[in-house]
Each structure stands twice: as C-alpha cells, then as structure tokens.
Amino acid sequence: MAWGAILTVALSSLAADTVIYRTTEQQVRDRTVATLTRSNYLLAFAVAHWRQEIFKSLELLSLNESFRTLNVASMTDTLRTLRLIHPNREISVWSPDGRLIVGGNADERGLRNEHVQRHPAFQEALKGNMTLQVIGRNNLTKTCLFAANAIYPEGAKAAAELVTPKAIVTLCAPFYLAEDDRDLSADIERTDAPQQGTKKQNLISMQNGNYSGSEFMIIRDNGYVVFPITSVNDWISGQSPTEIRNGPWGPFIRFALSREPDDQGLEIVTNGQTFIVVKRRLPDHRWVALSIVNRDTAMHGLNVALNKLRAFQAATILIVAFILYRVSGEIVKPIRKASQAIRKLSRGEFETHIDDQRNDEIGDLYKDINATGHLLKSFVALEKNHAVAEQQIITAQQIQQSFLLKNLPKSDYFELAAASLPAYEVGADWYDSLRVGHFLYVISADVCDKGVPSALFMSVFRSLLRSNILTQSQAKGTGTDRPADLGLVMTLVNEYMAENHGDTCMFATIFAASYNTQTGQLIYVNAGHESPLVLKGLAPEATLEMLNPTGPAVGLFAGARFLSSEITLAPGDLLFSFTDGLIDARSPSGQGWGQQRLQDFLLQLQQEARQPTAVLQQVLEVVASHQGLADRFDDLTVLTLRIKAIEPVAPTLNPGVKA
C-alpha cells in the first residue's frame, strides 16, 4: 500500500507537470502577445510621430522665404543651425533636374546626382507629394531613410495649380534612429522587450545565427526594411527588396506585407526556431511595424519555474517515502489528501488549500503543497501583469525625464529654477525653457489625466511647442528683433492636436511666455492654465499680479484662437508659475493648500530670499509639511523666474540659439 501511494504521488506529479505546463504555457503566450501588442503600439506611435515631425520640418523649410528665393547663404545658415539640433540629419536642396544647390559638401554643388533625381521619393516630391522611403548608396549619397518635399515659388499652391517646383528639399536620416536621432530616441527607447537593444545577446540577428531575444522593425510596402532600435541589423536595410525577401528575414517580411489583421499574435517557424510576431500598420498604410520575440525567450521564466517545481516534487516524494517507511498505514489517508490537492493543481486550480493543524512531517507536506499553489498563482499573475505594467512605467518615466531640461538657461540678467514631482511613478506635468537671441521662453503645462498615455501626449505637446517656437524665431530672420508669436504658436499646436487627436479627449493647459532681456517686456499666452503670479516691490508693500487665462485649454476645440498679453518686469521682480497640483495639495484631513496660502507665502518673501532656487525649495517644503503623510493628490510642477538686471542692447543682431 505504501509503495502504491508513492507511485500514485509520482504519477500525479508527472501529470501535474504536464497539465500545469500546458495551462501556464498558454497563459504566458497570451501575456507575451499582449505585451508585444502594447509595445508594438508604443513603438509604432513613436515612429509615426517621428515621421510626421520629419514631414513637418520639410514642409516648414519649403515655406521659408530663403528657401523659396533659393538664397544660398541664408539657406546654408539655416541648415547649419538645424545641424546643431539634429547632427545626424542630412538636409539638402536640389534643382528639379537633380543638381545640388546647398547641403552636403560644398565642392559637390552644381553636380547632378541622377541616383537622387530618379529616386521615387524625389519624383513624388516633383508631383507635390511627400513620402518616406529607403535610398541606396552611390558615389554622392549614403544609404538612409529618405524624404523629399517640393519648394514652390512665392504664392504658388503646388500641385493644385500645376506649378513646377523651384527646387526639392530632401532629408537623409540614419537607420539606427533610436541612437542617431534624439527627437525619436526618448519616445522609442525600451518600449519593446525589456533591455532590447542594450544587450546584443538579447537581440535577434537572423543573418548572424542569433535567434534568441527580440527585435523591432518597420517594413515599407515595396519591401525595404529598417531596424530603428539597434545598429546590429542595419546592413540588411541597405539590401534590395528581393535580397531581403530571399534572405533569412524573408518569412517576417512576407508576414508583414500579408493581409493578416493587425495586433494578432502569430507564430513563425524558421531555421528550426519559433518566433511570436505582432504587426501594426502605420497611419500612412505604407509602412508596417513588426515586433518579434523568440518563443523560447518568452517561455524562459516558465521553464525555470517548472524545473523548480519538479525539484520540489522530487523532494516531496522522498519525504513521503520516508514517512511511509516509518509509520503505520494510517499515513495513507493524509497521502491521499495530498494527492488530491496535487491533482487539482495539475488542472490549474491554484486556489487549492489543505486545511490541517498537524505539526508533523505530513503537516509540513501540506504547507508545501499550499505554498506551491500560491507560488504558481503568483507566478501566473505576475507574469501577466508585472511585465506590461512595469514596462509601461519604465517607458513613461524615460519619456517624461528626457523632456525635462536638466540645465536651464543661465544669464547675468535673470535666474531660473524649476521642478516637477509626479503623483505616481509618472506624471503629465512638464516645464520647458529655451533662449533665442535676447528672448527667453518659459513654459509650464499640465496634460489631463495621468500614466503612460498622458506621458506620451506630453511629449507630443512639448515637441510641437518647441518646434513652432524655433521655427517662428528662425522665420523672422535674425531671431533677435521680435519674439515668436506665441498666440500663433498656441493656435497651430491646438489645431494639430484637435484635428489629429481630438478623439482621444487629451488636452493640456499651458502657460507660455517670452521675456525680452533688453526691455523687460514679458509677452505671454495662458491657455486655461493656473494663473501665474508676478511678485513686485518689497514686503510689507509687496504686490502680486495674476496673469489670467487668455484662451482655452489646448487640444479641445478646433478653430480656437489664443490671444497674448504683456507685462513689464523690473529688476527684483519674480514670476511664479505652477500647476494645480501645488494649490490642490491635500492635508491628511483632505484640506487643500489653496491659492491664499500661496499668495501669503510669496508676499512675505524678503528680497534676499527671492532667488528662484531658494523660493522653489521653500515652497516645496511648505507644501510637503501641509501634506504630512497624505498621498500626493496630483502632479506638481513649479517654475520661477527672477529678473536680475536689464541687458544692454548689443551691437550685433544674431547671437544664435541657445537651449
């Protein structure tokens, strides 16, 4: 009877292993597909956003007066400035017949490059269309992602009036986008499999025989591919579509270009390996994003857990044999009880629990079985939730931190300080500042809601604001005579968000201001944001002026217009801008800190205590004391600007761009 019980336990363990593995394997596979789908969505969003930014940049260049008039000197200055911002983007201007006008090497100007002129993207630009494609290497070009846009004469409406372009502006971007293009790097980094692209042993490289790990790629409808996260597979991108399709990556290319629906996991078997793949078409329907993970890599955690379970079961059987050898047949009854519990575990019933108060070896066995069920349940739950949730948090933190300036502009004429504290792991508040000539731009903003979606939309709002401010400044010639039209900037950002993302109901409240260091004039737009305060004079006669809203929140209403207002700042004046998380900070009893406490705090500041860093530290300490042990109610962002002196008018008019 004893040996029969031992044999029963052993067979039950083997059966449990098989059933548990199959049950959990399907759950892990489903979790892997869900993780791939979410990461693929984030990566596709990042690439699509980057593509739109590329097109917007080319469109703005084609509308620039110096490009429309083909002013070589002015175009060269503009391209030199853009290279400081994007050192790996190669922008050139060509005549319609393919002769280089500006860009590249100076000694190549005037030479005709038929390789560029005949490229489909160049030909599409001649027709008034803009596409993103791959261009191969020749003696005058390198292999890269290639986009082109037409430059029309002043007043012309491009293809609608059948006007011949004056020139074509092109952009050549490297394949390894996440390293070489910093506008994309913050959005795309680590949004796929954890650590992908940072450890070569975790990266699939079919041509090198490395099949473990994961990879992300985008495929154009004509068969070209790009691996935007790492450079290991870049040389594949330079091959022709026929070579790629017939090579080791062929099965993935054929799947990407098939009519299979998006966001559905499919297993591809090639070279003796099984891969789980998920695809998603980008908005232009010309490119497809493909996320790939080796099935053995995805199942690694399950296999480790199963091996531990088998070792535990072997130890359990030895314990049972020893107990049965030492005691009487009465032990058979609790063994049967244990066997029944193991059978339930084998069916995936991980809630199984044996109630027994025994303090002997059998009681220990019951505890071990209960612990096994708990561990298996925890493993499945963690594998389902932890991987996705942790990756989203890491991605959102990286995106948010990359957009918060580590070094604010410095000057002998003003002081700046800012801080942003998220309510949870990630937040949707941000601040920004840049200097163009003698104009200092400061921004504080708050995107609705919290979490990964808000963090992603924060990056969109911030990129649009920066791009339009810089474009406006560059479009004004030297950039030192007048500031960017913030009302127009806010209108352009609002139109883009309302028209392209209106269905998401994501919006932001934004305060943006330009400060003229030579006149003390502060021109601002308040788009539904908390009213910043300007502290003037000395205590006890100090006064506060509120910079009230001049328009609605950004992204809510298409067609909304944003007015600007202005105020003159004098040396010693302090601008204090904040998000609602400051005045809404709750005490343990639920009482908000409030607008009145903020005003009282500012009015009591003495002149020597108005340095922005000191003000920032003091107000955060006061709010933290008010909160006590209560959880932070909302994201909290503060930006302070203190005027030290008025800058004398310089004799030169082109100090350049500093950020």
Side-chain angles (χ1 to χ4, degrees):
M1 181 182 295
W3 292 110
I6 293 174
L7 180 61
T8 299
V9 172
L11 293 176
S12 298
S13 298
L14 291 175
D17 290 347
T18 302
V19 176
I20 290 173
Y21 183 84
R22 290 179 179 177
T23 301
T24 312
E25 178 188 43
Q26 183 60 42
Q27 294 174 340
V28 172
R29 185 190 181 281
D30 293 342
R31 183 264 306 166
T32 300
V33 172
T35 301
L36 277 181
T37 300
R38 288 172 174 81
S39 68
N40 200 42
Y41 170 80
L42 294 173
L43 288 164
F45 176 87
V47 172
H49 174 240
W50 175 85
R51 172 181 169 275
Q52 288 300 114
E53 189 270 335
I54 289 292
F55 286 176
K56 185 66 175 178
S57 297
L58 289 181
E59 182 180 0
L60 290 174
L61 286 176
S62 67
L63 296 175
N64 187 282
E65 182 179 356
S66 61
F67 283 73
R68 284 194 164 190
T69 59
L70 299 184
N71 186 325
V72 174
S74 181
M75 288 192 293
T76 301
D77 288 342
T78 300
L79 295 185
R80 186 180 299 113
T81 300
L82 291 177
R83 184 169 288 276
L84 294 176
I85 303 173
H86 299 289
N88 294 297
R89 293 184 184 178
E90 193 167 299
I91 301 176
S92 304
V93 179
W94 311 77
S95 65
D97 63 351
R99 298 182 187 277
L100 183 64
I101 299 175
V102 67
N105 296 326
D107 56 358
E108 294 174 0
R109 293 178 182 174
L111 297 181
R112 185 179 182 190
N113 190 328
E114 293 185 358
H115 184 63
V116 170
Q117 192 266 339
R118 293 177 180 177
H119 191 269
F122 194 99
Q123 292 298 314
E124 285 293 318
L126 289 174
K127 301 174 184 177
N129 302 320
M130 193 161 27
T131 62
L132 184 67
Q133 302 197 34
V134 174
I135 188 171
R137 180 190 300 271
N138 78 336
N139 60 335
L140 294 178
T141 62
K142 63 181 180 181
T143 303
C144 61
L145 276 170
F146 188 73
N149 191 36
I151 300 175
Y152 290 96
E154 186 73 29
K157 295 183 179 178
E161 294 181 3
L162 302 177
V163 177
T164 301
K166 290 184 67 174
I168 300 296
V169 57
T170 65
L171 183 145
C172 186
F175 291 126
Y176 188 20
L177 304 177
E179 180 180 84
D180 290 335
D181 198 295
R182 65 187 185 188
D183 270 6
L184 181 64
S185 62
D187 291 347
I188 201 172
E189 184 177 311
R190 292 186 181 180
T191 56
D192 53 327
Q195 304 300 318
Q196 179 172 303
T198 61
K199 296 183 180 179
K200 292 185 179 179
Q201 63 268 29
N202 291 334
L203 180 69
I204 297 172
S205 181
M206 299 295 293
Q207 70 279 2
N208 296 322
N210 185 13
Y211 307 120
S212 63
S214 58
E215 178 59 292
F216 171 75
M217 58 198 297
I218 55 175
I219 304 97
R220 189 171 167 82
D221 54 7
N222 58 9
Y224 280 104
V225 304
V226 174
F227 298 85
I229 297 181
T230 64
S231 58
V232 175
N233 297 313
D234 273 357
W235 71 275
I236 298 294
S237 302
Q239 295 182 340
S240 69
T242 300
E243 292 174 316
I244 297 172
R245 185 182 289 270
N246 294 333
W249 291 95
F252 303 103
I253 306 303
R254 287 189 286 273
F255 168 71
L257 300 180
S258 69
R259 295 184 178 180
E260 292 289 335
D262 290 356
D263 299 337
Q264 291 192 8
L266 180 73
E267 292 188 354
I268 293 179
V269 180
T270 180
N271 291 343
Q273 298 287 323
T274 302
F275 301 88
I276 302 174
V277 295
V278 171
K279 72 172 184 175
R280 170 179 287 272
R281 292 175 179 84
L282 298 188
D284 66 341
H285 295 287
R286 303 299 298 272
W287 291 86
V288 176
L290 195 69
S291 288
I292 310 168
V293 67
N294 185 288
R295 192 177 187 277
D296 291 340
T297 300
M299 298 295 171
H300 176 72
L302 175 61
N303 291 330
V304 171
L306 183 62
N307 290 334
K308 291 181 179 179
L309 176 61
R310 287 171 176 167
F312 175 75
Q313 289 173 337
T316 301
I317 292 174
L318 290 176
I319 293 173
V320 171
F322 175 76
I323 293 174
L324 290 177
Y325 177 77
R326 295 292 303 271
V327 299
S328 67
E330 183 64 23
I331 200 67
V332 174
K333 184 176 180 180
I335 289 296
R336 289 175 179 170
K337 193 174 184 179
S339 178
Q340 291 173 355
I342 292 176
R343 289 194 186 96
K344 290 181 179 179
L345 289 177
S346 71
R347 296 194 295 268
E349 299 177 20
F350 302 138
E351 300 284 350
T352 299
H353 181 80
I354 303 176
D355 293 322
D356 196 289
Q357 302 300 321
R358 299 175 64 114
N359 294 317
D360 55 9
E361 292 85 355
I362 294 298
D364 293 337
L365 174 62
Y366 289 167
K367 294 175 183 177
D368 289 339
I369 293 174
N370 290 337
T372 300
H374 177 73
L375 287 174
L376 288 171
K377 179 182 176 182
S378 300
F379 171 75
V380 172
L382 286 173
E383 285 295 299
K384 283 183 177 179
N385 301 323
H386 182 69
V388 174
E390 183 178 5
Q391 186 57 43
Q392 287 181 336
I393 291 171
I394 291 173
T395 300
Q397 287 175 330
Q398 292 170 344
I399 292 173
Q400 184 183 40
Q401 290 303 315
S402 68
F403 279 95
L404 293 179
L405 290 180
K406 295 180 178 63
N407 298 307
L408 292 167
K410 296 180 180 179
S411 171
D412 294 332
Y413 308 104
F414 60 81
E415 292 179 276
L416 265 176
S420 185
L421 304 177
Y424 305 119
E425 289 83 356
V426 294
D429 286 7
W430 89 93
Y431 61 84
D432 202 0
S433 181
L434 64 157
R435 189 176 181 185
V436 182
H438 57 263
F439 290 99
L440 173 70
Y441 296 89
V442 293
I443 299 169
S444 64
D446 182 1
V447 178
C448 68
D449 209 350
K450 302 175 184 66
V452 173
S454 295
L456 289 175
F457 273 96
M458 182 201 79
S459 70
V460 178
F461 278 108
R462 192 260 191 182
S463 297
L464 289 173
L465 280 170
R466 264 196 166 241
S467 174
N468 279 282
I469 288 175
L470 287 173
T471 300
Q472 284 252 331
S473 299
Q474 294 160 3
K476 293 177 183 297
T478 64
T480 62
D481 300 322
R482 294 177 298 166
D485 185 344
L486 295 178
L488 177 58
V489 167
M490 210 69 71
T491 299
L492 292 174
V493 174
N494 179 73
E495 287 301 302
Y496 177 87
M497 296 303 298
E499 292 178 4
N500 293 278
H501 302 289
D503 56 343
T504 66
C505 296
M506 299 297 289
F507 62 89
T509 64
I510 303 172
F511 172 78
S514 64
Y515 170 67
N516 188 331
T517 60
Q518 295 181 348
T519 66
Q521 182 186 44
L522 182 85
I523 300 177
Y524 64 90
V525 173
N526 186 339
H529 198 64
E530 291 291 338
S531 298
L533 299 171
V534 176
L535 178 62
K536 291 177 171 289
L538 301 177
E541 287 79 29
T543 61
L544 289 173
E545 185 168 347
M546 301 181 70
L547 306 186
N548 294 319
T550 61
V554 178
L556 280 177
F557 310 109
R561 291 295 178 265
F562 299 83
L563 302 177
S564 61
S565 189
E566 65 181 72
I567 183 176
T568 299
L569 301 181
D573 289 353
L574 179 74
L575 170 67
F576 187 94
S577 180
F578 57 95
T579 60
D580 55 4
L582 180 72
I583 58 177
D584 289 342
R586 301 299 177 91
S587 67
S589 63
Q591 183 184 22
W593 192 53
Q595 179 76 230
Q596 188 59 51
R597 284 191 177 94
L598 172 59
Q599 294 184 16
D600 292 342
F601 166 82
L602 293 174
L603 288 172
Q604 58 82 33
L605 289 174
Q606 299 300 319
Q607 185 66 28
E608 63 274 10
R610 292 186 182 181
Q611 287 76 13
T613 302
V615 173
L616 185 64
Q617 180 179 356
Q618 289 182 55
V619 75
L620 293 181
E621 289 177 353
V622 171
V623 171
S625 175
H626 176 77
Q627 283 182 282
L629 298 177
D631 292 335
R632 186 172 290 118
F633 179 76
D634 196 0
D635 304 332
L636 188 159
T637 294
V638 176
L639 182 145
T640 60
L641 167 65
R642 178 176 175 266
I643 309 306
K644 297 169 64 177
I646 299 299
E647 180 180 5
V649 177
T652 59
L653 296 175
N654 190 17
V657 176
K658 298 179 182 179

